[in-house]
Amino acid sequence: MIEGARQFVDILSASETPILRPEKICRAEQSLLSQHLNTSGESTMPTNPDEPYYCSQQINIPPQLPDILKQFTKAAIRTQPKDVLAWSAAYFRSMSKGETPPVKERLEMPVATQKTDTGLTPGLLRVINRQLGPKKQVPLSLIEEKWNDLALPKEQFDDMVRIGSFGGDVEWNKFFALCASTLGETISDAMKTVCEILTGDPDGGPARIPFQLFKDIYQYLAQIDGEISQQQINEVFSYLKYDVDKQDGYVQPRNFLSPECPKLSAA
């Protein structure tokens, strides 16, 4: 038996195939080997001889990967997507194209005034507006794509398309205005939401927007409502003009929510 073993060693020594000797095995491989041994010292390695084993020095982890996964995880926690897989695909697709991803700025708490039958929230509307707001005209198909990325109800999207008679290229501010109108009970609620999302002021600030933008959106919502007369609209604008002149052409929610301001909704 001893002589046979010596012959086997001689054969291996003569082979052109390099032999890994015990002293050449890296520590990581030794650790990996020990993990596959049970307490009795018997091997628990898989029986498939073709299964590869890797030393830690052989595995190259891209240096950007840890930060990418960290940012992705934080974004998912803030956004709380209903369909995590669909949202994840949209997230990485946006990141790869250098576009704004579908991510909330912060974790959103339920809003007491929000209608219970809507899947849309102020935070999600902010997300879509950040993605599409810079464009004045947006293809309806692109709006639907961003809507689906957030797993928002298709029925709600279809309702707004029907109400606004949208098709082809859409004026984004009009679609945005209809979205805001679903987040409250009155047009005053909708205009408050519009100001809070479109303002350049920091959170907790006065939420000012240009008066002309306010007029365009309010006029559109009043037209969709169908019960607000042009005289009432003009009275609102006339009243707000005094505050706007003192605020460098801007209007803020406290102006039109004042008891002295004519009602924005139909009487």
Side-chain angles (χ1 to χ4, degrees):
M1 180 178 293
I2 295 177
E3 185 61 26
R6 287 175 179 171
Q7 291 176 358
F8 178 72
V9 171
D10 292 338
I11 292 172
L12 291 179
S13 300
S15 172
E16 294 180 358
T17 304
I19 302 300
L20 277 179
R21 302 188 183 280
E23 63 270 21
K24 298 294 184 180
I25 298 177
C26 69
R27 292 183 179 179
E29 288 171 323
Q30 292 174 334
S31 175
L32 182 63
L33 180 61
S34 65
Q35 293 174 11
H36 287 280
L37 294 176
N38 58 26
T39 55
S40 64
E42 297 175 354
S43 173
T44 60
M45 289 184 177
T47 57
N48 184 359
D50 296 326
E51 183 177 346
Y53 290 93
Y54 296 102
C55 172
S56 62
Q57 284 85 342
Q58 293 177 278
I59 302 175
N60 178 34
I61 299 177
Q64 306 93 333
L65 183 59
D67 187 60
I68 290 174
L69 294 179
K70 178 181 178 181
Q71 296 304 320
F72 164 73
T73 302
K74 290 168 65 176
I77 292 172
R78 286 201 307 272
T79 306
Q80 298 288 305
K82 292 183 179 179
D83 187 333
V84 177
L85 288 178
W87 176 85
S88 299
Y91 174 88
F92 285 111
R93 184 169 61 246
S94 297
M95 295 296 287
S96 68
K97 294 179 179 179
E99 299 174 350
T100 303
V103 179
K104 289 183 182 179
E105 295 175 334
R106 64 189 61 82
L107 187 62
E108 186 177 24
M109 296 294 105
V111 180
T113 58
Q114 184 181 326
K115 294 179 180 178
T116 57
D117 61 346
T118 177
L120 192 64
T121 67
L124 293 176
L125 183 53
R126 280 181 193 272
V127 170
I128 301 177
N129 183 66
R130 283 204 311 273
Q131 294 179 304
L132 302 177
K135 307 171 185 177
K136 294 187 177 181
Q137 296 284 333
V138 183
L140 184 60
S141 59
L142 181 58
I143 300 176
E144 185 174 16
E145 176 186 318
K146 302 303 183 185
W147 189 273
N148 292 336
D149 286 346
L150 294 169
L152 291 169
K154 183 180 185 304
E155 297 78 9
Q156 190 179 22
F157 177 83
D158 292 341
D159 284 344
M160 283 188 282
V161 171
R162 176 181 54 80
I163 293 171
S165 299
F166 296 126
D169 287 342
V170 175
E171 189 174 337
W172 169 247
N173 278 346
K174 290 184 176 180
F175 193 92
F176 170 81
L178 283 183
C179 288
S181 71
T182 68
L183 300 176
E185 298 294 336
T186 66
I187 290 186
S188 295
D189 294 336
M191 294 308 301
K192 181 174 181 290
T193 298
V194 166
C195 289
E196 290 171 345
I197 293 178
L198 298 185
T199 186
D201 294 327
D203 289 343
R208 298 166 297 177
I209 64 172
F211 189 41
Q212 187 58 53
L213 178 58
F214 174 91
K215 290 168 66 176
D216 292 343
I217 292 179
Y218 173 56
Q219 183 91 39
Y220 174 70
L221 289 179
Q223 173 189 339
I224 293 296
D225 181 271
E227 297 182 1
I228 303 174
S229 67
Q230 188 60 50
Q231 179 182 351
Q232 183 177 349
I233 294 172
N234 293 339
E235 288 175 357
V236 171
F237 292 160
S238 178
Y239 172 85
L240 292 175
K241 185 73 166 55
Y242 175 77
D243 291 320
V244 168
D245 289 342
K246 295 191 300 180
Q247 296 166 177
D248 299 322
Y250 286 81
V251 67
Q252 54 186 294
R254 75 175 186 180
N255 300 144
F256 57 82
L257 295 178
S258 168
E260 287 78 24
C261 180
K263 297 295 183 184
L264 272 63
S265 304

